[in-house]
Amino acid sequence: MFVLAAACTSKVAEPVLLNPDDFKGEVDGNEVALYTLKGGDLTLQVTNYGARVASIWTPDRDGNYADVAVGRKSLEAYMNPPGERFLGACVGPVANRIKEGTFTIDGETYHTPINDNGVNTLHGGFKGLDHVVWEVREVTDSSLSLSYLHADGQEGFPGNLLIAMTYTVTSDNCFRIDYEATTDKPTHVNIANHPFFNLKGEGEGTILDHEIFINASRFLPVDTLGIPTGLIAPVEGTPMDFRTARAIGERIDEDFPQLACGHGYDHNWCLDRSGEGLELACTVYEPGSGRFLEVFTDQIGLQFYSGNFFDGNDFGKNGKPLLYRSSFVLETQRWPAACNCPSFPSTLLRPGETYTHTCVYRFSAK
C-alpha cells in the first residue's frame, strides 16, 4: 500500500512555459508577441519575430515533459544574440549558402550580402527571414498563420516575394509547417525552418547518442566553406550512410574528408523519394528518454547539422550552456546552392508560379 501511495503521489514533470510578457515589443514599427499552440501531448511556443519556434514541450516514455527545442527566453535575446543567430527561425529566402553572394538570372547578375566567413551569403543575408517581424494573419489554439513581403531588392534578392506560412500542432503530436510564396520577378526561393533539437531536453548533454536514420543514398559534398561542390556522391561505405539507424557520434570523428569540411555533419542529403507528396525523410531516437522524432516532407533535400560550432559560451533559455554537439538541426529543403549549380534541380520561381513546401515533425516516445 505504501508503494502504491507513493506511485500515486509522484509528480510528473510538466511544461514550464515562457512568459509572453518577455516577448512583447515593437520592431521596425511592428508588434511582436509570443503564441502558444497545443495539440495532443505537444505544446509549442512561437514568436512572430523571425517566425521562431522558442520551445517544444513533449513527454518521454514515462510521461515526463522536456523542452526539446533550443531557444532564448526573450525578444531582446533573439534580437541581440550572444552566439548562434538562427535558433528556431525561419530562414531564407534562400536557405544555406550562396557562393560569393552572387547568382545570375536571365543574364542579370545579383549580389547578396557577405555574412558568412567573409566570402558567402548565409540564410538570406544580414536581415533574412529570421530578423524580420512576420504579420500575424490568424491564430487558433493549435495554429498560427503568418505572412511576410520580402521586398524587391531586399538583401539583394530580386522580386516582391510574398510568403505565407502556417504552423499547426495536431492531435497526433505533429508540428506541421506549410509554406507558399509568389513573386513578381524571377527569383530564387528555398525557404527552410531551423529548429535546434535535443531530445533529452535543452542543455541536457550531447546529441551523440541519438540514433538517426536518413532516407537517402546520396549527399552533396561541400568545400571547406560549406558550399556544395556540384557533385552528388553516394553515401555507401562512408560515415554519411544513415540508411540504417545509428548513433550520431558513432562515426562523426572518423578520418573522412567531408567530415573535416563540415567540422562534423553539416550537409544536404538527397532524399530517396517515390513521389511528390509527404514522405518519411528521417527519424531520430533518444534511448534514455525514449523520445522519437519523425520528419516528413515533400521536399527533395534534408540538411542535417550536428551542432559543431557551439562551444559553451552561449546559453539557452534555461540558463544552461549550449555545448559542442549538444543539439542538431534537420532542415527540409530543396538542394542548396542550386542558384549556382545548373545540374541541381532549380530553385527559380517565376511570376505566375507558386512555391510550396511542407515539413512535418512528429513526436512520440517508445
Side-chain angles (χ1 to χ4, degrees), residues 308-335:
N308 310 311
F309 295 102
F310 291 104
D311 59 8
N313 291 319
D314 194 0
F315 295 84
K317 55 186 171 289
N318 60 13
K320 295 182 179 180
L322 303 181
L323 301 174
Y324 181 58
R325 293 175 177 166
S326 64
S327 60
F328 63 91
V329 177
L330 299 168
E331 301 168 76
T332 63
Q333 60 182 4
R334 299 182 184 181
W335 295 359

Side-chain angles (χ1 to χ4, degrees), residues 17-21 23-25 31-38 43-49 51-55 133-146 167 169:
L17 300 182
L18 294 164
N19 186 349
D21 290 341
F23 288 82
K24 288 181 179 179
E31 291 187 3
V32 178
L34 184 71
Y35 302 87
T36 300
L37 312 178
K38 296 183 179 181
T43 300
L44 265 72
Q45 291 186 285
V46 179
T47 173
N48 59 321
Y49 179 71
R52 294 173 181 273
V53 178
S55 69
V133 179
W134 290 65
E135 180 182 353
V136 177
R137 305 298 296 272
E138 184 178 4
V139 184
T140 72
D141 290 342
S142 60
S143 67
L144 175 66
S145 294
L146 304 166
Y167 289 159
V169 180

Side-chain angles (χ1 to χ4, degrees), residues 189-202:
V189 182
N190 191 13
I191 303 170
N193 215 267
H194 212 281
F196 285 76
F197 297 109
N198 184 326
L199 297 184
K200 299 173 184 176
E202 182 192 76

Side-chain angles (χ1 to χ4, degrees), residues 95-172:
N96 291 299
R97 295 170 175 87
I98 298 174
K99 185 176 182 179
E100 297 176 356
T102 302
F103 58 87
T104 300
I105 299 175
D106 297 337
E108 185 171 350
T109 299
Y110 296 91
H111 300 281
T112 51
I114 302 302
N115 67 325
D116 179 55
N117 288 309
V119 179
N120 306 310
T121 300
L122 177 63
H123 291 327
F126 290 109
K127 195 171 184 178
L129 299 179
D130 65 299
H131 263 339
V132 299
V133 179
W134 290 65
E135 180 182 353
V136 177
R137 305 298 296 272
E138 184 178 4
V139 184
T140 72
D141 290 342
S142 60
S143 67
L144 175 66
S145 294
L146 304 166
S147 67
Y148 182 72
L149 177 62
H150 193 277
D152 183 25
Q154 183 174 334
E155 298 295 274
F157 291 94
N160 290 297
L161 184 70
L162 181 59
I163 307 165
M165 179 172 60
T166 299
Y167 289 159
T168 306
V169 180
T170 69
S171 60
D172 57 346

